[in-house]
């Protein structure tokens, strides 16, 4: 069994779409696993205050009508924040989507949620590293069960927890703690959740566009208008917040 030093929260989101900068959560489910193995589950339908795309609606089955009277994220943000208190975070493809979008939602409502002291375990990353398949196939492969009700947030989050436990049993090299899992699969060296900036040799570098591979601070010094362009562009709020941190730090160094 996975040995936890602190609670582990397995998160799954259903959303209006897949754009981190503009889409919203319509359903959130969190399985909070305590170090003693006990579990608590929190699930909520949310009114995203924007239309749900047809593609997403067909995928998860949640309609605009179903969420029109549901609370908004702002109304439940403190409750979710408290439920995640002192937790490491996990999910399926969570490092690239669920956690970045959750971070965006917190930023939109002006609620500070510190991700820096939390370990992030992406079960999909383990699966792709070892087997390379989908969540339903992973559930069949590791748990030998068919995933009934896939794309329902609670079903997917619970299945992800079961898969993680099965992976611990199947792959001894993962160890049995969050720390040993991260050591085995590697930590994502990212600056922002959208991966527009990454860490290379301890330096933030751009991971897209004409300045890909260049140090962010060097670009901002030579071309400060690039900062303005990004801040006005359709980038996630978390990306803009991290860019502003680097920009302010760069300005401070120039003033010394």
């Amino acid at each position: 069994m996975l040995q936890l030093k602190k609670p582990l929260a397995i998160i799954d989101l259903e959303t209006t779409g897949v754009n981190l900068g503009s889409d919203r959560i319509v359903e959130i489910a969190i399985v909070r696993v305590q170090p003693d193995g006990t579990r608590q589950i929190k699930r909520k339908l949310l009114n995203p205050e924007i239309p749900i795309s047809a593609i997403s609606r067909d995928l998860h089955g949640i309609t605009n009508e179903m969420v029109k009277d549901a609370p908004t994220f702002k109304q439940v943000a403190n409750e979710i924040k408290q439920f995640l208190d002192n937790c490491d975070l996990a999910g399926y493809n969570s490092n690239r989507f669920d956690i970045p979008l959750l971070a965006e939602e917190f930023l939109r409502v002006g609620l500070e949620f510190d991700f820096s002291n939390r370990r992030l375990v992406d079960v999909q990353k383990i699966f792709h590293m070892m087997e390379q398949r989908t969540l339903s196939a992973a559930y069949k492969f590791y748990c030998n069960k068919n995933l009934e009700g896939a794309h329902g947030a609670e079903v997917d989050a619970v299945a992800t927890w079961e898969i993680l436990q099965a992976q611990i049993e199947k792959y001894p090299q993962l160890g049995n703690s969050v720390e040993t899992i991260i050591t085995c699969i590697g930590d994502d060296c990212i600056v922002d959740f959208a991966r527009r900036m990454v860490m290379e040799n301890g330096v933030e570098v751009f991971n897209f566009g004409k300045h890909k591979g260049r140090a962010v601070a060097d670009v901002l010094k030579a071309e400060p208008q690039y900062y303005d362009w990004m801040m006005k562009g359709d980038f996630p709020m978390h990306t803009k917040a991290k860019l502003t941190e680097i920009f302010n730090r760069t300005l401070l160094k120039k003033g010394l």
Side-chain angles (χ1 to χ4, degrees):
M1 290 294 293
L2 183 63
Q3 302 298 310
L4 298 176
K5 294 180 181 178
K6 58 195 292 190
L8 182 66
I10 299 90
I11 299 168
D12 192 83
L13 308 179
E14 304 303 337
T15 65
T16 59
V18 295
N19 187 308
L20 293 176
S22 59
D23 279 305
R24 302 288 192 271
I25 299 170
V26 298
E27 182 185 18
I28 181 170
I30 306 168
V31 179
R32 179 182 168 121
V33 184
Q34 299 294 127
D36 65 4
T38 58
R39 301 187 314 187
Q40 298 170 277
I41 297 177
K42 184 176 290 292
R43 171 189 172 271
K44 288 187 178 294
L45 284 176
L46 299 174
N47 182 346
E49 301 181 283
I50 63 172
I52 301 170
S53 71
I55 293 175
S56 294
R57 184 190 65 229
D58 291 344
L59 184 66
H60 51 56
I62 300 171
T63 66
N64 294 306
E65 181 67 21
M66 290 169 63
V67 297
K68 68 180 180 63
D69 296 322
T72 64
F73 185 85
K74 184 174 184 178
Q75 291 172 317
V76 302
N78 274 303
E79 179 183 347
I80 293 172
K81 181 176 183 291
Q82 290 171 13
F83 194 69
L84 295 174
D85 186 47
N86 193 40
C87 290
D88 287 327
L89 307 177
Y92 196 87
N93 195 32
S94 50
N95 285 2
R96 289 182 177 271
F97 186 72
D98 299 80
I99 291 171
L101 187 55
L102 183 60
E104 285 296 296
E105 292 281 31
F106 278 122
L107 285 167
R108 288 180 190 122
V109 301
L111 188 61
E112 183 177 350
F113 187 87
D114 187 7
F115 288 87
S116 63
N117 63 345
R118 302 169 189 270
R119 307 308 298 268
L120 308 179
V121 180
D122 194 329
V123 173
Q124 185 194 61
K125 187 174 181 180
I126 299 173
F127 187 44
H128 284 185
M129 185 176 175
M130 304 295 186
E131 305 295 344
Q132 314 236 325
R133 296 233 172 85
T134 64
L135 176 60
S136 294
Y139 195 60
K140 180 68 174 178
F141 182 87
Y142 289 110
C143 304
N144 197 29
K145 293 186 283 187
N146 293 321
L147 184 56
E148 304 293 342
H151 301 301
E154 182 176 335
V155 170
D156 288 356
V158 171
T160 300
W161 167 240
E162 292 183 31
I163 291 168
L164 179 56
Q165 293 183 90
Q167 288 173 328
I168 296 299
E169 294 181 14
K170 186 174 179 64
Y171 307 116
Q173 63 267 43
L174 290 175
N176 62 354
S177 71
V178 169
E179 289 73 20
T180 58
I181 291 171
I182 296 297
T183 298
C184 180
I185 67 175
D187 214 347
D188 291 336
C189 296
I190 60 174
V191 176
D192 65 308
F193 286 127
R195 299 167 187 262
R196 294 291 189 261
M197 298 171 284
V198 296
M199 295 296 294
E200 290 186 4
N201 301 316
V203 176
E204 300 106 335
V205 302
F206 281 115
N207 193 37
F208 78 104
K210 65 179 183 179
H211 293 306
K212 185 173 182 177
R214 289 188 62 190
V216 177
D218 290 347
V219 172
L220 297 181
K221 288 177 186 175
E223 195 178 327
Q225 64 269 28
Y226 197 70
Y227 170 80
D228 296 329
W229 173 76
M230 286 191 66
M231 294 302 289
K232 293 175 183 176
D234 185 24
F235 292 95
M237 291 180 66
H238 189 256
T239 299
K240 293 178 179 180
K242 289 298 181 181
L243 182 68
T244 298
E245 287 180 17
I246 300 169
F247 184 68
N248 289 339
R249 190 172 71 230
T250 302
L251 284 179
L252 181 62
K253 286 183 179 178
K254 287 176 68 176
L256 292 177

